[in-house]
Amino acid sequence: MAIFTGAGVAIVTPMKPDGAVNYEAFARLIEFQIANGTDAIIVCGTTGEASTLTHEEHLECIRFCVNTVNRRIPVIAGTGSNCTQTAIYLSQEAENAGADGLLVVTPYYNKATQKGLKEHFKLIAQAVHIPMILYNIPGRTGGVNILPETIVSLCEEEPNIVGVKDATDNFIQYAKLMALAKGKVDVYSGNDNQIVPFLSLGAKGVISVLSNIAPRQTHDICAKYFAGEVGESAKLQLEAIELITALFSEVNPIPVKKAMNIMGLEAGTLRRPLTEMEDANAAKLEAAMKRYGLLG
């Protein structure tokens, strides 16, 4: 059984002007997501600026999210690292905090082989008891790519490795994965502009940046598809394309935090080395938000 089906939000970590985590705003964002139909919350991922958090902040954000959600929807904790032992530590602490699952990114910088990737993920999986989703995003990890054969074998060999977030932007590889998986791998799109194409080949849903500002709409793209309303699902997907393009006109999460602040959702500042959005891109983003109906 999948950890979740539908649209899970890769939630931002709101910051105060001095860069500290804004837990009051974080609680409001979590409630906004739950009230608007989000199917799961993914905390401390790329969009949550996990790479800029200390280990103590990282774990405190996970604990806070788990406690605030209070089992209303699944919470999946990002616990990946380029150091296997660190990933094990973060994963064990997330399990202790009550997370429903883990999202573990491919180790960056080290450029592990497929053998190294298998050992890395297996050691993490064997150190915990909750389900784990692999996170394949070569654009963030120096080109490191978990091949379909490796993903399938990991899911076959380790019972709590249940799936993958695919952000490879390689639909041919995704199709090969689904052909090999034969239902053994829960796949989530890592790209908001490919939700419906992924669902059409059997994906369970999306782990979404768009959901931070349009949770109901993103949920509905998935829900309508699963209800058999494929045409309406595709219509909603296409209506969001301009906004999704604007949300990735600069590196994530720069644009989505800007969009949230425009909407009054208090995402706050970014931690360096990320900087505020360029004025020209921000203007295009705001225009796309208006056309999508997020602003009056």
Side-chain angles (χ1 to χ4, degrees):
M1 182 175 174
I3 304 174
F4 78 96
T5 299
V9 61
I11 200 165
V12 305
T13 302
M15 305 286 185
K16 296 179 180 178
D18 65 359
V21 177
N22 187 339
Y23 287 103
E24 294 82 5
F26 200 8
R28 288 190 288 273
L29 293 181
I30 291 167
E31 295 302 332
F32 170 71
Q33 290 295 322
I34 293 174
N36 284 280
T38 288
D39 298 293
I41 293 180
I42 294 80
V43 61
C44 291
T46 303
T47 313
E49 297 175 82
S51 59
T52 70
L53 300 174
T54 66
H55 289 167
E56 291 77 15
E57 289 174 322
H58 191 141
L59 294 173
E60 185 54 34
C61 284
I62 292 170
R63 294 185 191 106
F64 183 85
C65 187
V66 168
N67 291 336
T68 303
V69 171
N70 193 26
R71 300 295 176 188
R72 287 176 286 174
I73 57 175
V75 173
I76 299 166
T79 56
S81 172
N82 65 328
C83 169
T84 303
Q85 199 56 47
T86 299
I88 289 172
Y89 165 70
L90 293 173
S91 298
Q92 289 175 329
E93 289 299 312
E95 180 177 23
N96 292 339
D100 297 285
L102 306 171
L103 180 68
V104 182
V105 72
T106 46
Y108 38 88
Y109 189 79
N110 308 58
K111 292 203 168 186
T113 63
Q114 295 300 301
K115 177 183 177 182
L117 291 174
K118 282 195 71 172
E119 291 191 12
H120 174 79
F121 289 123
K122 286 170 75 74
L123 285 168
I124 299 165
Q126 291 165 6
V128 296
H129 304 91
I130 55 177
M132 183 170 124
I133 298 171
L134 311 175
Y135 183 11
N136 197 19
I137 182 165
R140 293 267 187 176
T141 59
V144 177
N145 179 27
I146 322 173
L147 295 177
E149 295 84 354
T150 302
I151 294 169
V152 173
S153 65
L154 281 166
C155 289
E156 289 176 338
E157 294 169 19
E158 297 297 333
N160 59 328
I161 299 180
V162 297
V164 62
K165 174 185 176 182
D166 185 314
T168 62
D169 217 16
N170 183 339
F171 202 77
I172 294 172
Q173 178 173 296
Y174 166 61
K176 181 178 180 182
L177 168 62
M178 296 306 282
L180 292 173
K182 301 186 187 305
K184 300 174 185 174
V185 181
D186 294 337
V187 180
Y188 299 91
S189 173
N191 298 313
D192 284 307
N193 60 359
Q194 298 174 2
I195 302 171
V196 172
F198 264 63
L199 296 179
S200 73
L201 292 186
K204 297 293 184 181
V206 61
I207 295 178
S208 170
V209 175
L210 176 65
S211 285
N212 280 283
I213 58 171
R216 176 62 64 183
Q217 296 91 324
T218 315
H219 164 85
D220 286 350
I221 291 172
C222 296
K224 287 185 179 298
Y225 188 94
F226 292 132
E229 300 175 44
V230 175
E232 184 62 22
S233 174
K235 179 175 178 287
L236 294 175
Q237 170 81 89
L238 293 174
E239 288 173 351
I241 291 297
E242 182 192 11
L243 177 56
I244 293 165
T245 300
L247 284 174
F248 291 91
S249 60
E250 293 186 25
V251 70
N252 180 47
I254 292 174
V256 74
K257 274 199 158 182
K258 180 68 174 179
M260 294 173 76
N261 288 331
I262 291 171
M263 292 173 67
L265 291 174
E266 295 182 86
T269 190
L270 296 142
R271 284 195 176 175
R272 299 300 176 266
L274 299 182
T275 54
E276 293 302 316
M277 197 171 189
E278 298 289 340
D279 289 344
N281 289 331
K284 292 177 183 176
L285 172 63
E286 187 166 356
M289 292 168 67
K290 287 178 180 177
R291 283 189 284 270
Y292 191 66
L294 295 179
L295 302 174

